[in-house]
Amino acid sequence: MSKIISLANQKGGVGKTTTSINLAAALAHQGKRVLLIDADPQANTSSGLGVEIKELDNTIYECLVNGIDPHTAIVETNTKNLWLIPSHIDLVGAEIEMLNIEHRETLLKRVIDQIKDNYDYILIDCSPSLGLITVNALTASDSVIIPVQCEFFALEGIAKLLNTIKIIKSKLNPALKIEGFLLTMFDNRLRLSNQVYEEVKRHFGDLVFNTVIARNVRLSEAPSHGVSVLDYDPASKGAQNYTSLAKELIKRQSL
């Protein structure tokens, strides 16, 4: 049975797309069948995995708005066991087009229901907003991972996201839970990084992943080569961190 996880934080620049790509790849490297859904109009997850968006006939946009068969939108990536439903800039206008569709909050769930039996994990990279597509992602998910950047305003905006999750739990998806808070861009040489870690740990306790994602230049370089950091430089700190995160996630599920 597949586990469906959204990666969400309406704050931009927190490492959400980096985590989506590399956690998906790390799970695939652990032998899991993984589908990554790019639900961000910027389509950075798609381009970061080497997909030529202009050459695609179908993306998540066509699945949501036109109701096409999602199997026709799935593309293979350069990583064994990892598939992708890409995004497109057209997704910017999808929220307006979706307003007139009945049960608009469950469109993505209906898409995923058609394909979920083929995968162990389905990860959804959400846009940095709390709009209708993010609501769709959370409604379709079993849980949500919240990346938190180790910087001064780390917890800013999280209350709003938690309130959105609470509303979705009460109205649309009672089974939704927080998988965990993931500290990203961590630099143990900086007092601020350690302070942010302690603050997040104090607020959220066991919901904070033991794994932290350190600042690593290889993480920044990998997307320009169209591969995950695990395929770009398997020995790098970034690859090790995401492998550790994947193992921690798998272990949590088996408990």
Side-chain angles (χ1 to χ4, degrees):
M1 199 171 117
S2 65
K3 173 137 187 168
I4 304 161
I5 304 173
S6 282
L7 290 100
N9 191 333
Q10 78 272 23
K11 196 170 191 244
V14 298
K16 185 173 48 57
T17 295
T18 298
T19 295
S20 298
I21 292 172
N22 293 301
L23 175 56
L27 288 166
H29 276 252
Q30 293 297 311
K32 303 298 183 184
R33 289 175 60 84
V34 184
L35 175 67
L36 181 53
I37 298 175
D38 189 353
D40 185 345
Q42 295 175 79
N44 290 335
T45 291
S46 304
S47 57
L49 282 170
V51 174
E52 289 291 339
I53 298 159
K54 292 176 184 173
E55 297 176 6
L56 298 172
D57 292 324
N58 294 321
T59 66
I60 192 63
Y61 170 82
E62 283 77 19
C63 295
L64 290 171
V65 175
N66 300 332
I68 66 136
D69 182 347
H71 292 92
T72 66
I74 296 170
V75 297
E76 287 189 42
T77 72
N78 294 315
T79 301
K80 184 184 175 185
N81 291 328
L82 176 58
W83 291 265
L84 172 76
I85 296 183
S87 183
H88 192 277
I89 190 64
D90 287 352
L91 201 59
V92 169
E95 296 203 353
I96 296 169
E97 295 176 72
M98 288 161 68
L99 287 174
N100 297 320
I101 301 175
E102 198 174 355
H103 305 301
R104 56 183 179 264
E105 298 88 359
T106 60
L107 288 171
L108 185 55
K109 183 179 189 306
R110 281 177 265 168
V111 168
I112 290 172
D113 282 346
Q114 298 174 61
I115 52 178
K116 66 181 181 182
D117 292 341
N118 298 326
Y119 304 97
D120 299 307
Y121 287 91
I122 297 175
L123 303 186
I124 308 170
D125 181 23
C126 299
S127 64
S129 76
L130 294 176
L132 185 54
I133 292 172
T134 298
V135 168
N136 261 264
L138 295 172
T139 301
S141 295
D142 299 309
S143 62
V144 54
I145 291 175
I146 302 171
V148 180
Q149 186 182 357
C150 288
E151 49 118 75
F152 186 69
F153 295 112
L155 295 179
E156 193 178 72
I158 284 183
K160 196 171 180 183
L161 174 60
L162 293 179
N163 191 51
T164 300
I165 291 169
K166 186 177 175 184
I167 292 167
I168 287 168
K169 271 177 72 78
S170 68
K171 297 186 182 302
L172 295 164
N173 183 6
L176 181 66
K177 69 184 186 90
I178 294 172
E179 191 68 45
F181 292 84
L182 176 68
L183 274 296
T184 63
M185 304 180 204
F186 183 81
D187 187 340
N188 61 9
R189 299 167 301 176
L190 299 178
R191 186 192 298 173
L192 179 60
S193 279
N194 289 288
Q195 286 174 338
V196 170
Y197 178 83
E198 292 301 328
E199 186 180 4
V200 174
K201 194 79 178 163
R202 190 170 65 248
H203 270 80
F204 302 112
D206 291 342
L207 285 175
V208 182
F209 283 103
N210 294 322
T211 304
V212 296
I213 309 300
R215 281 194 181 276
N216 180 246
V217 69
R218 292 290 187 261
L219 285 173
S220 306
E221 292 171 353
S224 64
H225 296 268
V227 293
S228 74
V229 73
L230 285 90
D231 297 296
Y232 177 62
D233 186 352
S236 67
K237 186 73 173 170
Q240 291 170 12
N241 286 165
Y242 279 108
T243 297
S244 172
L245 178 63
K247 288 178 177 177
E248 187 176 348
L249 190 62
I250 292 166
K251 187 178 178 183
R252 283 186 179 200
Q253 195 173 0
S254 64
L255 292 176

